[in-house]
Amino acid sequence: MTWSEMQPLLSQACWDTLYMVGWSTLIAVVGGLPLGVLLVLTDRGGLLQNVLANKVIGQIVNVARSMPFIILMVALMNFTRWVTGTTIGREAAIVPLAIGAIPFFARLVETAVREVDGGLVEAVQSMGGNTWTVVRKVLVPESLPSLISSTTTTIVALIGYSAMAGTVGAGGLGDIAIRYGYQRFETELMWITVAILAVVISVIQFAGDYAARSLHRRGGRSGPAPRLRLPKASAAAGETV
């Protein structure tokens, strides 16, 4: 196969992979971020301590995270068909990719949030901050560098998952590697696909690491304590005293 024949195939495959991974990452972050924070809040000593709820949520996350992606993809075929109307193509692949990534990202979020200094949480509570304020002003901002790194790890994992999705007709670079590199013995095309995946992953990892380091230098966990606006009534009482 000549390069002029490979180029349109590779271009479309790259776009399909980025499309699947991009949407799956977005859904995983939207679903996994609150889930990971909730695991921290409901744990022993958490602001919303509920041991039973924590164990139930944690067990669901563990089961979903431990399931091999290829099995998850097959198990969700009926659900995927209900959501997208088909089980083939990049839109159909987004469903199992996102569902598989949500528990994975949630555990990374949990680890990142647990590293936040408890003194900052106590400071916000002492100023009258509620649970939502603590999450919005302390837990998420202070863990942001780690959350960026967690997102990068999730994207890299999703690229690998998307390659597996190519085995069932989802498209993307994995589909090119299987259909042409393996089934049609186009070894050169397969190695080009591997090289493209390596470059894409390296660029994403570099960008994620750079963003995390930049955020950490600008503030991160070493930054100043969050500022809260005290209610006017409380401020007036303080002046009176």
Side-chain angles (χ1 to χ4, degrees):
M1 183 178 289
T2 63
W3 172 248
S4 60
E5 294 173 321
M6 293 181 190
Q7 188 173 7
L9 291 173
L10 292 171
S11 298
Q12 184 62 44
C14 288
W15 167 245
D16 289 343
T17 296
L18 293 176
Y19 181 88
M20 290 186 290
V21 172
W23 278 106
S24 301
T25 301
L26 178 62
I27 297 171
V29 170
V30 171
L33 180 59
L35 189 59
V37 173
L38 188 62
L39 283 169
V40 176
L41 295 178
T42 58
D43 200 4
R44 294 184 186 275
L47 300 178
L48 300 175
Q49 179 175 319
N50 189 322
V51 178
L52 179 60
N54 182 268
K55 288 187 178 296
V56 171
I57 297 172
Q59 191 61 35
I60 293 173
V61 169
N62 289 339
V63 171
R65 193 174 58 142
S66 63
M67 187 174 297
F69 177 71
I70 192 72
I71 296 176
L72 178 67
M73 191 165 48
V74 174
L76 290 174
M77 277 190 173
N78 289 332
F79 179 72
T80 301
R81 184 181 291 108
W82 178 73
V83 172
T84 64
T86 182
T87 58
I88 299 175
R90 61 186 189 183
E91 282 77 17
I94 291 173
V95 176
L97 282 171
I99 292 177
I102 286 174
F104 178 81
F105 184 69
R107 282 301 185 189
L108 295 177
V109 170
E110 180 188 11
T111 301
V113 172
R114 287 190 188 279
E115 295 176 358
V116 175
D117 185 3
L120 292 175
V121 176
E122 294 175 0
V124 173
Q125 287 181 305
S126 68
M127 289 187 284
N130 56 21
T131 301
W132 169 243
T133 304
V134 170
V135 172
R136 188 167 55 92
K137 293 287 188 178
V138 179
L139 297 183
V140 173
E142 290 297 311
S143 61
L144 194 55
S146 294
L147 291 177
I148 295 294
S149 297
S150 299
T151 304
T152 303
T153 302
T154 303
I155 293 173
V156 172
L158 281 171
I159 291 175
Y161 291 165
S162 70
M164 284 188 282
T167 62
V168 292
L173 292 169
D175 181 50
I176 292 295
I178 293 297
R179 281 198 296 129
Y180 292 90
Y182 178 72
Q183 296 176 349
R184 301 185 186 182
F185 303 102
E186 295 284 351
T187 307
E188 184 180 357
L189 180 57
M190 183 177 67
W191 283 114
I192 291 175
T193 303
V194 171
I196 292 174
L197 285 171
V199 170
V200 170
I201 289 174
S202 297
V203 170
I204 291 172
Q205 189 67 57
F206 173 80
D209 292 344
Y210 178 80
R213 287 195 300 268
S214 298
L215 286 172
H216 198 275
R217 284 196 297 267
R218 291 179 183 178
R221 295 184 180 85
S222 60
R227 296 180 179 179
L228 295 178
R229 293 183 178 180
L230 293 175
K232 292 183 179 180
S234 300
E239 292 175 0
T240 302
V241 175

